[in-house]
Amino acid sequence: MRVPFEEMKKEIARVFRKCGMSEDKANLCAAIHAESSRDGIYSHGANRVSRFFNYVQEGWVDVNAEPVLEKSFGALAVYNGNLGPGITNSLFCTDRAIELAKEHGIGMVGLRNTTHWMRGGTYGLYAARKGYIAIAWTNTESCMPPWGGAEPKLGNNPYVMACPGDDGEPVMIDMAMSQYAYGKLQVVRQAGKKLPYPGGFDKDGNLTDEPGPIEESMRILPMGYWKGSSFAFMLDVLGAVLTDGIGAADIDKIGKGSCGGASQVFMVIDPAHLTEAAKIKETIRKAKAHIKSSKLAQGERGIWFPGEDYILAKKENSEQGVFVDDEVWNEIKAL
Amino acid sequence: MRVPFEEMKKEIARVFRKCGMSEDKANLCAAIHAESSRDGIYSHGANRVSRFFNYVQEGWVDVNAEPVLEKSFGALAVYNGNLGPGITNSLFCTDRAIELAKEHGIGMVGLRNTTHWMRGGTYGLYAARKGYIAIAWTNTESCMPPWGGAEPKLGNNPYVMACPGDDGEPVMIDMAMSQYAYGKLQVVRQAGKKLPYPGGFDKDGNLTDEPGPIEESMRILPMGYWKGSSFAFMLDVLGAVLTDGIGAADIDKIGKGSCGGASQVFMVIDPAHLTEAAKIKETIRKAKAHIKSSKLAQGERGIWFPGEDYILAKKENSEQGVFVDDEVWNEIKAL
């Protein structure tokens, strides 16, 4: 079904208040979830609300916890997230990194002992809409086998890079290190379809584009095979080191749901000290035009710049109401 | 054949002096090329010496140029590389980023108008061996189609992340955004073999593991399909924005060889302000043990941490002499 954006926000905020959140915090978190759904990132929008509710009931998220400064030096700071809501913790640290960037040109904030940040792109867009460049990532529990291995021992560690765009909307990547998310495998399986490209190995070690056997084996494919595996490793250990926090090996032991106890890094740069705003726009405009000038590959319908997908989804969902699965919406209403 | 490391350095330094380089600069660049070969990165070690020589003859690299400061603010600086040697320009900027990190905890240096940095991992290892964490990338001329396109309109934009290790050697990724390098395609084709996984499309748009048809179509595959394509785009534009420099669309117009006029970013963080050295070692040790604890996939011989490949090559080449293709070595000797 489709739900008006404001109604979606209001309904999610009601659930979050029921979790024990203050009105302000509930409104903020609800807005982020609704925006994620509006931008087409359904998996981390409305679809995650009931799971968040369950995490709070389990005592895995402390809705009243606030991040506390543990270390700071120059353009660096480290916060303990105290297992507070991932969204408010991460937004707070993005704001802190922006303040550091204002003062030093660049700022980096490490956030340890936090919880699931939902859509990583939230923090990239937040900084880029204020004119900053952001690089951020989170580590996670083990959910992907390292290259050469058959058991999940790496997180899928979403990585974000965002830059102010040429026409109001930032350009951005927000990508996990697995070729496909488990959520995508489920959707494709339920639709009785195959993946467009192989997404992992079945339990006998055969590369397959069938989602079911990959969900069963838990052998999802790192993006770019060995490359995504190594990238995930670096994001895991740098996540731990730059936050005085922990990596997948220890997150696995916490047992407080997906990303409970995870480590996140927020880097923000103020490009005003490096170049001119008009030149940034021109660089982005030129790069977009450059890739779009390519001849289309056979069977392809277009070439998209990073972030164009969410801009298109945002437009459609803003005009027609935000898409949400009937079952998901009914579950939220019933909470 | 195998050549002793010191002999390789000396011979390459001779070629670089012949290019008009000062003795110090020639020795430094020769050491980096020889170390790259010693670490198994043959493509950017001895194998690139004669191409560098040609670039200097063409007037594409000015061996006597030095980087000049153009902008600075807080923990940021931008240098004009003046088309000087990529290696000395990049090492200079890594050193500057280290100095900024000493003062501010984190430092970022943008280097515009530079030339090919050869092995990107050089700068990651350089900083990590001094105890710092480094993130660096370069943009390049167009050599890879964007996802959905059939013509090269993106650079392969190598990306580096390095961190001090637990046993003396850093952990590091140094990866281009294409699944395979053109150099790899050539080697596999000449050996009459196929790629282990599809590496691109033939001219008819079929995904293939045959290197020849991919070299012909120039349709190399971005790592992780659409993911590597988007990542390459962001590295291209952020490379330009953070250095007041240019991206692939403009590098293509310069026509001074591979990476002539490229933009590079060097971020360095001093982890001493965030955590303890012993804790870093423990984090790395634990993460290595965690991935290696996975059951092996069928047919696989091991699970490697990022950087283990170069550590193994370094050991073998240090003990047995540095491997170099006969033809490559004879060409260097003849210069």
Side-chain angles (χ1 to χ4, degrees):
Chain A
M1 69 174 74
R2 290 190 180 268
V3 175
F5 180 69
E6 290 301 326
E7 185 187 332
M8 182 175 276
K9 262 202 321 199
K10 223 179 269 177
E11 191 60 27
I12 298 175
R14 183 190 59 77
V15 174
F16 288 165
R17 284 199 307 276
K18 211 174 160 189
C19 289
M21 265 190 197
S22 69
E23 186 155 345
D24 283 357
K25 227 179 196 177
N27 287 340
L28 178 58
C29 290
I32 299 295
H33 277 268
E35 283 165 15
S36 298
S37 270
R38 185 200 58 197
D39 289 2
I41 316 299
Y42 307 111
S43 57
H44 292 82
N47 295 15
R48 280 280 174 137
V49 172
S50 70
R51 195 196 288 189
F52 179 84
F53 186 87
N54 292 338
Y55 277 24
V56 177
Q57 305 310 308
E58 294 279 3
W60 296 347
V61 177
D62 177 356
V63 291
N64 293 308
E66 301 286 344
V68 170
L69 182 67
E70 292 193 329
K71 298 185 184 212
S72 80
F73 176 86
L76 304 178
V78 168
Y79 284 83
N80 182 342
N82 291 309
L83 296 174
I87 287 175
T88 50
N89 274 350
S90 298
L91 274 177
F92 175 90
C93 289
T94 308
D95 265 327
R96 283 295 298 128
I98 288 173
E99 285 165 35
L100 289 167
K102 276 184 194 163
E103 194 180 338
H104 303 278
I106 183 171
M108 196 199 80
V109 174
L111 171 62
R112 71 174 191 86
N113 195 33
T114 191
T115 61
H116 202 300
W117 71 359
M118 302 300 149
R119 177 192 186 193
T122 297
Y123 317 102
L125 290 176
Y126 180 82
R129 291 204 169 113
K130 290 176 186 282
Y132 299 93
I133 287 160
I135 301 175
W137 69 91
T138 183
N139 58 22
T140 77
E141 71 282 1
S142 302
C143 61
M144 178 174 82
W147 187 249
E151 293 173 297
K153 298 286 178 187
L154 280 173
N156 64 351
N157 304 342
Y159 181 77
V160 175
M161 287 181 131
C163 180
D166 59 330
D167 63 354
E169 287 288 357
V171 290
M172 179 176 73
I173 50 167
D174 171 11
M175 60 180 189
M177 293 299 112
S178 54
Q179 188 63 56
Y180 299 100
Y182 280 104
K184 173 80 176 174
L185 299 184
Q186 191 190 359
V187 167
V188 172
R189 174 173 47 78
Q190 288 172 345
K193 293 187 180 167
K194 287 186 178 192
L195 298 163
Y197 293 89
F201 299 93
D202 64 21
K203 62 182 171 37
D204 299 319
N206 303 305
L207 201 60
T208 178
D209 53 9
E210 296 273 5
I214 303 169
E215 290 171 288
E216 194 193 340
S217 69
M218 287 191 73
R219 292 181 58 183
I220 53 172
L221 198 63
M223 66 176 224
Y225 312 103
W226 50 92
K227 291 194 171 192
S229 175
S230 290
F231 194 7
F233 182 97
M234 291 306 298
L235 294 174
D236 179 69
V237 298
L238 288 181
V241 169
L242 295 174
T243 68
D244 201 30
I246 58 175
D250 288 318
I251 298 171
D252 290 353
K253 291 177 193 152
I254 289 185
K256 293 193 173 179
S258 178
C259 294
S263 308
Q264 296 170 357
V265 178
F266 303 86
M267 290 183 183
V268 170
I269 303 149
D270 184 354
H273 303 298
L274 301 168
T275 189
E276 285 152 34
K279 200 167 169 186
I280 298 179
K281 283 184 195 289
E282 181 56 14
T283 294
I284 306 291
R285 191 202 59 74
K286 217 182 262 181
K288 285 181 181 178
H290 190 54
I291 60 166
K292 285 176 187 277
S293 75
S294 166
K295 199 175 68 187
L296 277 185
Q298 293 90 332
E300 295 288 344
R301 290 165 304 128
I303 295 165
W304 285 273
F305 61 82
E308 193 163 4
D309 45 354
Y310 85 77
I311 295 169
L312 295 171
K314 180 180 174 180
K315 190 170 178 295
E316 183 182 313
N317 282 325
S318 298
E319 287 167 5
Q320 303 179 18
V322 181
F323 173 82
V324 59
D325 192 80
D326 291 3
E327 202 179 322
V328 167
W329 190 241
N330 291 334
E331 199 177 351
I332 291 174
K333 299 278 273 188
L335 280 174
Chain B
M1 70 172 71
R2 289 191 178 268
V3 175
F5 179 70
E6 289 301 326
E7 186 187 331
M8 183 174 277
K9 260 201 327 199
K10 221 179 269 177
E11 191 60 26
I12 298 175
R14 183 191 59 75
V15 174
F16 288 164
R17 285 199 306 277
K18 214 175 159 190
C19 289
M21 266 191 198
S22 69
E23 186 154 346
D24 283 356
K25 225 178 197 176
N27 286 340
L28 178 57
C29 290
I32 298 295
H33 277 267
E35 283 165 15
S36 298
S37 270
R38 185 200 58 196
D39 289 2
I41 316 298
Y42 307 112
S43 57
H44 292 83
N47 295 16
R48 281 280 174 136
V49 171
S50 71
R51 194 196 289 190
F52 179 84
F53 185 88
N54 292 339
Y55 276 25
V56 177
Q57 306 309 307
E58 294 279 1
W60 296 347
V61 177
D62 176 357
V63 293
N64 293 308
E66 301 284 345
V68 170
L69 182 67
E70 291 192 330
K71 299 185 182 212
S72 80
F73 175 86
L76 303 177
V78 168
Y79 284 82
N80 181 342
N82 290 310
L83 295 175
I87 289 176
T88 50
N89 274 351
S90 298
L91 274 177
F92 176 89
C93 289
T94 309
D95 265 327
R96 283 294 299 127
I98 289 173
E99 284 164 37
L100 290 167
K102 277 183 195 164
E103 196 180 336
H104 304 278
I106 184 170
M108 195 199 78
V109 174
L111 171 62
R112 71 173 190 88
N113 195 32
T114 189
T115 61
H116 202 302
W117 71 1
M118 302 297 151
R119 177 193 185 193
T122 297
Y123 316 102
L125 290 176
Y126 180 82
R129 290 204 170 112
K130 290 175 187 281
Y132 298 93
I133 287 160
I135 301 175
W137 70 90
T138 183
N139 58 21
T140 76
E141 70 283 1
S142 302
C143 61
M144 179 173 82
W147 188 250
E151 292 173 297
K153 297 286 178 186
L154 280 173
N156 64 352
N157 304 343
Y159 181 77
V160 176
M161 288 182 130
C163 180
D166 59 329
D167 63 354
E169 287 287 357
V171 290
M172 178 176 73
I173 50 167
D174 172 11
M175 60 181 190
M177 293 300 113
S178 54
Q179 187 64 55
Y180 299 102
Y182 280 105
K184 173 79 176 176
L185 299 183
Q186 190 189 4
V187 167
V188 171
R189 175 174 46 79
Q190 287 171 347
K193 293 186 179 166
K194 287 186 178 193
L195 298 164
Y197 293 91
F201 299 92
D202 64 21
K203 62 181 170 42
D204 299 320
N206 303 305
L207 200 61
T208 178
D209 54 8
E210 295 274 3
I214 303 170
E215 290 171 286
E216 194 193 337
S217 69
M218 286 191 75
R219 291 182 59 182
I220 53 172
L221 198 62
M223 67 176 225
Y225 311 103
W226 50 91
K227 291 195 170 192
S229 176
S230 290
F231 194 8
F233 182 97
M234 290 307 298
L235 294 173
D236 180 70
V237 299
L238 288 181
V241 169
L242 296 174
T243 68
D244 201 29
I246 58 175
D250 288 318
I251 298 172
D252 290 353
K253 292 176 193 153
I254 289 186
K256 293 192 171 179
S258 178
C259 293
S263 308
Q264 296 170 356
V265 178
F266 303 86
M267 289 183 183
V268 170
I269 302 148
D270 184 354
H273 302 297
L274 301 168
T275 189
E276 285 153 35
K279 199 167 168 186
I280 298 179
K281 282 185 196 291
E282 181 56 13
T283 294
I284 306 290
R285 189 201 60 71
K286 216 182 263 183
K288 285 181 181 178
H290 190 55
I291 59 166
K292 285 175 187 277
S293 75
S294 165
K295 199 175 68 186
L296 278 185
Q298 293 89 333
E300 295 289 341
R301 290 165 303 127
I303 294 164
W304 285 274
F305 61 83
E308 193 163 3
D309 46 353
Y310 85 77
I311 295 169
L312 295 170
K314 179 180 176 180
K315 189 169 180 292
E316 182 182 313
N317 282 325
S318 298
E319 286 167 6
Q320 302 178 21
V322 181
F323 173 81
V324 58
D325 192 80
D326 291 5
E327 203 179 320
V328 168
W329 191 241
N330 291 333
E331 199 177 351
I332 290 173
K333 301 276 274 189
L335 281 174

